[in-house]
Amino acid sequence: MTGRERVLSALDFKQPDRPPLDLGGHRSSGISAVAYSNLRKYLKLDPRPVRIMDMIQQLAIVDDDVLDLFGIDTIEMGRGFLKDDRDWKDWVLPDGTPCQIPFYINVEKSGGDWRVFADDGVELGIQKEGCLYFEQTYFPLMRRNIEEDDFADLEYIAGRTVWTGVPHPGAHLPLDAAGLSELARGAKALRESTDRAAIGLFGGNMFEVPQWFYRIDNYLTFMGLYPDAVHRLSEKLCGIYMRNLEKWLGAVGPYIDVVLFGDDLGAQNGPMISPAMYRELIKPYHSRLWHRAKELADVKVLFHTCGSIRPLLGDLIEAGVDAVNPVQLSCANMDSGTLKKEFGDRLVFWGGGCDTQDVLPFGSPADVAAHVKRQAAVLGSGGGFVCQAVHNIQANVPPENIVAMLKSIV
């Protein structure tokens, strides 16, 4: 089977020839650029510049030679863009490794810290000396009264957080006529160059983006105290997303297989909000977006949500989710066998292939391989499983463990 056939079979609950394997097909199946540099050296591959696809999390673009070596079945749509060496500029990773970042990212060093800026000069985040990631420093609505706000400038504000204002390749293009034309061209060229399943990253975060506007503690408080204002904000935000989704999928829809939405709903021991609050304040907007995506293109909806989300899975299925990621095994009530038994005929588990909290960084290669084989046997029975590590491979993971994880499937 080709990678695309393998992924689509799994998404249709059919048993592929082996579980599909995802590495770098989207942000949360990615690999730290530090770990990726170490992996290439360990594999003795020809030197290539390490390029960053996600500046905030410092995630590397996985090169074709690595995708081929491990039989990776997915590819992120952004790989169709920034194809010229002139599209990249030199930077340096926290461990001193040289790398390259997209030309449009505005970063400046101040003392030992790096700061990242929006195109209008607003500081969005900081990577402090000795840290591996950028953290948010600017919360654009934090000092505004949510009850009195008409959100007239929300479309502008929506691009002024560290997570929304520093786009990955492809997402840097405006959704005007020229940008949409370039999106379609790049996505089409990528589609014609590979038989891997293409994943388009849309986002559409209804729960997280308001947290980035107000700060998480404030927004969770508002959800409890001011539900009417939260609905007004959500209606406005969902309207913006809907317009963008229609333009974006109109351009790239024919060339992708999966569209990724995201909202981290879970913490270590359970959802961050009650199922009742999710149904009231978030689910209606998720449902609108996910169903509209399927009306616009022949795509499956992949939803990224970390943490312990077992109490929400039925609602997510009702709202239109086809697959959920990253299936965080180490959280409460996230046993893979129980999840497969209860939801495996209705929900694809895109993740859960290898625990990244304990097994991948701290186990032996033999431990990693045995663990991945067990997970694939449980989650992959009857299809409905795409194997990837539970979220990104972190900087401290030994390269021999990464190899053991990837080779245990193929």
Side-chain angles (χ1 to χ4, degrees):
M1 302 181 82
T2 67
R4 184 175 299 129
E5 290 169 343
R6 198 170 284 123
V7 170
L8 294 179
S9 289
L11 289 169
D12 286 334
F13 301 98
K14 297 174 183 176
Q15 188 76 58
D17 57 346
R18 65 163 173 82
L21 189 55
D22 179 12
L23 174 67
H26 59 104
R27 282 192 177 106
S28 300
S29 66
I31 179 170
S32 154
V34 172
Y36 183 67
S37 175
N38 293 335
L39 177 65
R40 291 194 64 88
K41 293 172 187 173
Y42 176 80
L43 294 170
K44 297 182 171 57
L45 297 174
D46 292 339
R48 293 191 186 184
V50 175
R51 288 178 169 169
I52 304 296
M53 65 86 70
D54 183 312
M55 186 69 180
I56 307 310
Q57 298 180 90
Q58 315 266 303
L59 302 178
I61 290 176
V62 181
D63 294 291
D64 290 342
D65 55 354
V66 175
L67 297 179
D68 292 340
L69 178 64
F70 294 109
I72 304 303
D73 297 303
T74 61
I75 195 160
E76 195 260 305
M77 192 193 76
R79 290 291 299 276
F81 305 91
L82 305 191
K83 304 293 285 184
D84 195 297
D85 288 344
R86 292 173 297 180
D87 295 329
W88 299 87
K89 61 185 180 182
D90 294 333
W91 198 57
V92 63
L93 294 170
D95 70 341
T97 299
C99 71
Q100 293 183 333
I101 60 176
F103 72 91
Y104 54 79
I105 293 179
N106 301 315
V107 288
E108 294 180 9
K109 197 164 190 179
S110 175
D113 304 333
W114 285 96
R115 299 175 188 272
V116 63
F117 299 87
D119 52 14
D120 61 359
V122 172
E123 181 190 304
L124 302 178
I126 186 171
Q127 180 177 281
K128 296 181 180 179
E129 186 174 11
C131 292
L132 292 169
Y133 317 104
F134 281 84
E135 57 185 286
Q136 186 168 345
T137 55
Y138 177 60
F139 299 85
L141 298 184
M142 193 167 72
R143 303 194 183 282
R144 283 166 46 170
N145 186 325
I146 191 172
E147 286 192 286
E148 298 176 359
D149 206 329
D150 64 2
F151 309 113
D153 59 347
L154 193 64
E155 193 151 12
Y156 169 79
I157 290 296
R160 290 302 180 272
T161 78
V162 75
W163 293 101
T164 58
V166 189
H168 63 277
H172 69 292
L173 295 167
L175 298 182
D176 56 17
L180 291 169
S181 177
E182 177 62 15
L183 273 170
R185 186 206 61 76
K188 183 175 186 289
L190 179 69
R191 178 77 169 195
E192 293 172 348
S193 71
T194 182
D195 60 9
R196 295 183 171 95
I199 305 168
L201 313 188
F202 182 75
N205 307 59
M206 293 302 310
F207 180 56
E208 283 184 303
V209 164
Q211 296 172 32
W212 304 335
F213 291 161
Y214 292 100
R215 209 176 62 189
I216 183 172
D217 52 340
N218 292 319
Y219 190 66
L220 292 177
T221 302
F222 298 159
M223 293 180 78
L225 294 180
Y226 313 123
D228 290 343
V230 167
H231 270 301
R232 286 193 298 103
L233 171 62
S234 294
E235 286 285 353
K236 195 96 171 184
L237 186 61
C238 187
I240 293 169
Y241 288 154
M242 193 69 78
R243 292 190 295 276
N244 290 343
L245 182 67
E246 290 172 352
K247 294 176 184 177
W248 181 77
L249 271 178
V252 307
Y255 313 116
I256 63 174
D257 304 288
V258 176
V259 56
L260 179 76
F261 292 84
D263 258 326
D264 282 341
L265 298 169
Q268 191 72 18
N269 295 312
M272 287 193 278
I273 56 176
S274 69
M277 184 174 277
Y278 172 74
R279 292 178 196 124
E280 166 61 24
L281 295 177
I282 306 295
K283 182 179 177 180
Y285 307 102
H286 277 167
S287 183
R288 288 185 207 174
L289 292 166
W290 300 344
H291 282 100
R292 185 61 177 141
K294 294 180 188 182
E295 292 171 353
L296 292 165
D298 183 17
V299 292
K300 297 288 189 178
V301 168
L302 172 60
F303 181 53
H304 169 80
T305 177
C306 288
S308 174
I309 55 167
R310 161 65 185 80
L312 302 177
L313 290 180
D315 287 295
L316 296 177
I317 294 167
E318 286 181 4
V321 157
D322 295 299
V324 68
N325 165 273
V327 195
Q328 197 166 343
L329 308 170
S330 56
C331 292
N333 302 311
M334 292 295 288
D335 172 72
S336 53
T338 303
L339 293 176
K340 184 71 172 181
K341 182 178 179 180
E342 291 187 31
F343 301 101
D345 60 341
R346 296 174 289 156
L347 184 65
V348 174
F349 296 103
W350 192 306
C354 186
D355 169 57
T356 46
Q357 268 186 283
D358 295 308
V359 178
L360 188 60
F362 304 121
S364 68
D367 293 334
V368 171
H371 169 68
V372 174
K373 289 181 183 295
R374 285 195 301 271
Q375 290 305 113
V378 172
L379 290 171
S381 176
F385 172 57
V386 177
C387 185
Q388 66 152 86
V390 178
H391 220 294
N392 299 321
I393 298 168
Q394 298 297 300
N396 65 333
V397 174
E400 56 267 31
N401 284 12
I402 300 172
V403 171
M405 177 184 70
L406 298 172
K407 282 194 171 180
S408 64
I409 288 295
V410 179

